[in-house]
């Protein structure tokens, strides 16, 4: 009995995590990883994950239902109460295995537990109404208001729907929304310093409902419904793999780093792509991993140790303020995985859709241009800089490159795929760049292109 009392409640954890996500700039997956470590029961973990990601993927539709049930905008409610009601309505609409009466009871009890006893009656009344009415609330029609209809039905901000419709058309926008709202598989990249993909597939065979090789990336493995968090999967502690979507793995192939080269990972973060570069170089040569965040570089150091990578140095630098000194040398390859809006990874990070702002795109664009200007000075004359963003928006993709090329005649865009990487990259090479999209390719939305310095200019 005592153990049951001490067992953490996934509904309470989901509520706290949703509230924290709205107030924090920390990515949802980082917050989730911290919370999952508190749960040993697989069913509790699954429920926690389903509630948090389900609410965020359906937030606007849930708020539309709540507006009808409350007869006023729910945004005036306290954050804890609003998130509690969203969880309850989501369970009623989408989670058929949980009896509705149990949903109401646990929500009322949770209201009391989180010190909102005065709201227990409201929670009870609203969720009982939701059981009767939520499925019958009319939504805007595609004929009368297609932007608002898609926005509410698929839960994306109207400005984003409008942006996509202008560029892609109505049908492709609907397909993109549906792709972003599907639960994505867990994709891993084999650490070829320690194992092979067939060997890793055997290790992971029983760790998910289904495990399979990725179709494009030669090192990728896709896990459908994994049975444990990443840090508990077999092979994780031994460094046999990294978590990395297939689209991000294609970026590593485009860099085409080879043993003995000198490589700059200019915005290395926690080292997802750094690890890929190491294994492509067979752990021979030099990699300088740079980031503005000391915390991220500390995490990168730990990750490299887990992977068995020994050729990575780290250095703090804010590229917006300038470049590294010439004493660091020049590089055969530079990866500029630039900070961006993240609008190409909304499937894995549904919290981004509620944080993104149309005005931010211009800010990112200006920053990305400066980053290219301040990193390409360190490129060898015959070297290659790969500019990459997890976005499909023109302001952060072709628009950035166009401005850089106009300002700097010595910078040249490589229009064709290098022969060495032609095979797996060819299906995604469109208009002189690597482009992936969820609704067309079944992977995250990425853009990457190759820049070089013209040896005839200075």
């Amino acid at each position: 009995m005592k153990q049951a009392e001490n067992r953490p409640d996934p509904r309470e954890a989901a509520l706290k995590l949703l509230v924290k996500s709205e107030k924090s700039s920390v990515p949802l997956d980082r917050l989730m990883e911290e919370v999952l470590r508190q749960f040993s029961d697989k069913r509790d973990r699954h429920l926690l994950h389903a509630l948090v990601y389900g609410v965020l993927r359906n937030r606007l539709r849930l708020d539309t239902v709540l507006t009808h049930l409350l007869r006023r905008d729910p945004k005036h409610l306290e954050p804890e109460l609003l998130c509690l009601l969203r969880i309850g309505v989501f369970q009623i609409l989408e989670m058929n295995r949980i009896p509705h009466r149990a949903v109401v009871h646990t929500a009322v009890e949770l209201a009391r537990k989180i010190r909102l006893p005065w709201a227990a009656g409201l929670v009870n009344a609203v969720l009982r109404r939701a059981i009767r009415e939520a499925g019958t609330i009319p939504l805007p029609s595609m004929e009368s208001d297609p932007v608002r209809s898609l926005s509410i039905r698929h839960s994306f901000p109207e400005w984003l729907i409008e942006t996509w419709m202008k560029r892609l058309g109505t049908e492709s926008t609907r397909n993109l929304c549906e792709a972003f709202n599907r639960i994505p598989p867990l994709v891993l990249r084999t650490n070829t310093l320690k194992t092979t993909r067939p060997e890793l597939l055997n290790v992971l065979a029983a760790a998910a409902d289904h495990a399979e090789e990725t179709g494009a990336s030669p090192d990728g493995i896709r896990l459908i419904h994994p049975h444990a968090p990443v840090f508990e999967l077999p092979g994780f502690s031994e460094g046999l793999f990294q978590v990395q979507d297939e689209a991000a793995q294609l970026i590593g192939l485009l860099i085409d780093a080879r043993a003995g080269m000198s490589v700059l990972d200019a915005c290395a973060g926690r080292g997802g792509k750094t690890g890929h570069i190491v294994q492509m170089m067979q752990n021979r040569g030099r990699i300088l991993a740079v980031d503005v965040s000391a915390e991220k570089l500390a995490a990168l150091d730990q990750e490299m140790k887990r992977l068995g990578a020994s050729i990575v140095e780290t250095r703090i630098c804010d590229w917006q303020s300038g470049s590294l000194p010439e004493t660091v040398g020049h590089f055969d390859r530079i990866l500029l995985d630039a900070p961006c809006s993240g609008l190409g990874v909304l499937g894995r990070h549904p919290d981004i859709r509620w944080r993104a702002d149309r005005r931010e795109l211009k800010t990112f664009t200006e920053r990305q241009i400066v980053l290219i200007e301040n990193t390409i000075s360190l490129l060898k004359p015959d070297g290659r800089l790969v500019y990459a963003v997890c976005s499909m928006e023109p302001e952060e993709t072709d628009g950035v490159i166009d401005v850089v090329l106009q300002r700097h005649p010595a910078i040249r865009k490589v229009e064709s795929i290098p022969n060495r990487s032609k095979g797996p990259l060819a299906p995604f090479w469109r208009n002189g760049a690597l482009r992936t999209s969820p609704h067309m390719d079944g992977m995250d939305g990425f853009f990457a292109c190759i820049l070089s310095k013209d040896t005839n200019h200075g």
Side-chain angles (χ1 to χ4, degrees):
M1 184 72 180
K2 188 174 182 182
Q3 186 177 4
E5 288 175 0
N6 292 333
R7 180 177 170 180
D9 178 7
R11 296 167 188 83
E12 183 179 2
L15 174 59
K16 290 179 178 178
L17 207 156
L18 284 167
V19 173
K20 188 173 183 179
S21 177
E22 291 203 6
K23 296 177 179 178
S24 171
S25 60
V26 179
L28 178 63
D29 57 339
R30 300 289 171 204
L31 297 175
M32 177 64 78
E33 185 176 319
E34 292 174 12
V35 177
L36 281 174
R37 293 180 186 276
Q38 303 169 19
F39 291 84
S40 57
D41 186 270
K42 185 174 79 171
R43 291 168 301 178
D44 287 347
R45 287 172 171 168
H46 178 76
L47 178 57
L48 167 64
H49 199 279
L51 290 175
V52 171
Y53 281 84
V55 166
L56 288 171
R57 287 194 181 101
N58 292 273
R59 200 178 93 172
L60 186 55
R61 185 164 66 100
L62 299 176
D63 285 0
T64 302
V65 170
L66 284 171
T67 299
H68 174 86
L69 299 175
L70 292 162
R71 297 189 177 91
R72 54 183 172 169
D73 190 336
K75 290 190 176 120
H76 76 282
L77 299 173
E78 292 187 20
E80 290 80 5
L81 178 55
L82 176 54
C83 288
L84 178 57
L85 289 172
R86 285 170 176 163
I87 290 172
V89 174
F90 173 72
Q91 289 178 288
I92 290 166
L93 287 175
E94 301 291 340
M95 301 183 77
N96 298 328
R97 292 184 181 180
I98 303 175
H100 289 165
R101 64 181 181 278
V103 172
V104 177
H105 174 74
T106 54
V108 170
E109 290 301 307
L110 190 50
R112 294 192 178 109
K113 189 174 181 180
I114 62 171
R115 299 178 184 175
L116 291 175
W118 59 269
L122 174 65
V123 170
N124 181 67
V126 169
L127 294 186
R128 288 188 181 279
R129 278 197 72 194
I131 293 169
R132 298 190 303 269
E133 303 174 29
T136 63
I137 296 171
L139 300 177
S141 69
M142 285 295 296
E143 291 73 23
S144 62
D145 194 342
V147 171
R148 191 156 178 266
S149 178
L150 286 175
S151 173
I152 292 174
R153 290 173 192 275
H154 298 287
S155 281
F156 287 89
E158 283 190 28
W159 74 266
L160 201 47
I161 296 293
E162 190 175 16
T163 298
W164 289 341
M165 284 181 67
K166 285 179 181 176
R167 187 169 84 246
L168 305 172
T170 301
E171 194 58 33
S172 288
T173 297
R174 189 206 310 270
N175 293 339
L176 180 59
C177 290
E178 289 174 352
F180 273 139
N181 280 337
R182 292 189 197 106
I183 298 173
L186 176 64
V187 184
L188 311 175
R189 192 198 70 253
T190 309
N191 178 14
T192 54
L193 298 180
K194 293 191 172 187
T195 188
T196 65
R197 180 161 72 170
E199 289 171 351
L200 181 59
L201 204 53
N202 287 334
V203 170
L204 294 168
D209 288 356
H210 180 64
E212 62 187 15
E213 296 180 349
T214 50
S217 170
D219 298 323
I221 291 176
R222 191 181 294 113
L223 297 185
I224 312 298
H225 300 138
H227 299 159
V230 170
F231 53 83
E232 289 186 5
L233 289 175
F236 176 82
S237 58
E238 295 84 358
L240 302 187
F241 62 82
Q242 279 186 294
V243 176
Q244 189 177 48
D245 184 73
E246 191 170 12
Q249 295 183 38
L250 297 180
I251 306 299
L253 298 180
L254 190 63
I255 298 164
D256 192 27
R258 306 175 197 181
M261 282 185 170
S262 180
V263 178
L264 171 65
D265 189 351
C267 299
R270 295 173 180 269
K273 295 183 181 69
T274 316
H276 196 185
I277 297 170
V278 172
Q279 67 188 57
M280 291 188 69
M281 295 172 65
Q282 300 166 41
N283 207 20
R284 302 199 327 258
R286 176 199 179 209
I287 298 175
L288 181 61
V290 175
D291 202 90
V292 70
S293 167
E295 179 196 356
K296 288 181 179 178
L297 290 179
L300 182 146
D301 279 331
Q302 290 302 311
E303 185 70 349
M304 293 307 108
K305 288 176 184 175
R306 186 178 70 86
L307 298 173
S310 60
I311 62 170
V312 181
E313 310 164 34
T314 59
R315 186 159 184 158
I316 296 174
C317 177
D318 182 355
W319 295 107
Q320 286 185 264
S321 304
S323 185
L324 291 171
E326 290 283 327
T327 52
V328 301
H330 287 74
F331 298 87
D332 300 290
R333 299 285 187 267
I334 296 176
L335 169 61
L336 177 55
D337 185 16
C340 68
S341 65
L343 292 176
V345 293
L346 297 179
R348 298 188 185 281
H349 305 280
D351 50 318
I352 291 176
R353 70 182 79 178
W354 308 118
R355 296 177 180 178
D357 188 303
R358 189 198 306 264
R359 292 166 296 185
E360 284 185 346
L361 287 176
K362 184 179 179 183
T363 303
F364 278 118
T365 299
E366 294 168 350
R367 187 184 308 165
Q368 288 151 357
I369 292 168
V370 170
L371 262 57
I372 292 176
E373 292 172 335
N374 287 345
T375 53
I376 202 164
S377 61
L378 296 172
L379 188 66
K380 290 181 180 179
D382 58 346
R384 174 188 306 178
L385 182 148
V386 172
Y387 169 78
V389 285
C390 52
S391 172
M392 301 175 289
E393 304 309 310
E395 295 92 334
E396 302 183 275
T397 57
D398 297 288
V400 167
I401 302 305
D402 289 344
V403 172
V404 169
L405 297 180
Q406 288 168 11
R407 289 185 186 176
H408 303 278
I411 297 176
R412 182 173 60 87
K413 180 184 174 187
V414 178
E415 295 287 346
S416 58
I417 316 174
N419 290 332
R420 178 185 166 106
S421 303
K422 193 169 185 179
L425 298 179
F428 311 100
W429 193 263
R430 302 160 185 146
N431 299 321
L434 180 76
R435 304 170 197 266
T436 61
S437 59
H439 65 302
M440 293 171 61
D441 306 309
M443 57 183 76
D444 289 344
F446 267 82
F447 169 93
C449 73
I450 302 171
L451 299 176
S452 66
K453 290 198 297 189
D454 192 335
T455 54
N456 295 323
H457 288 78

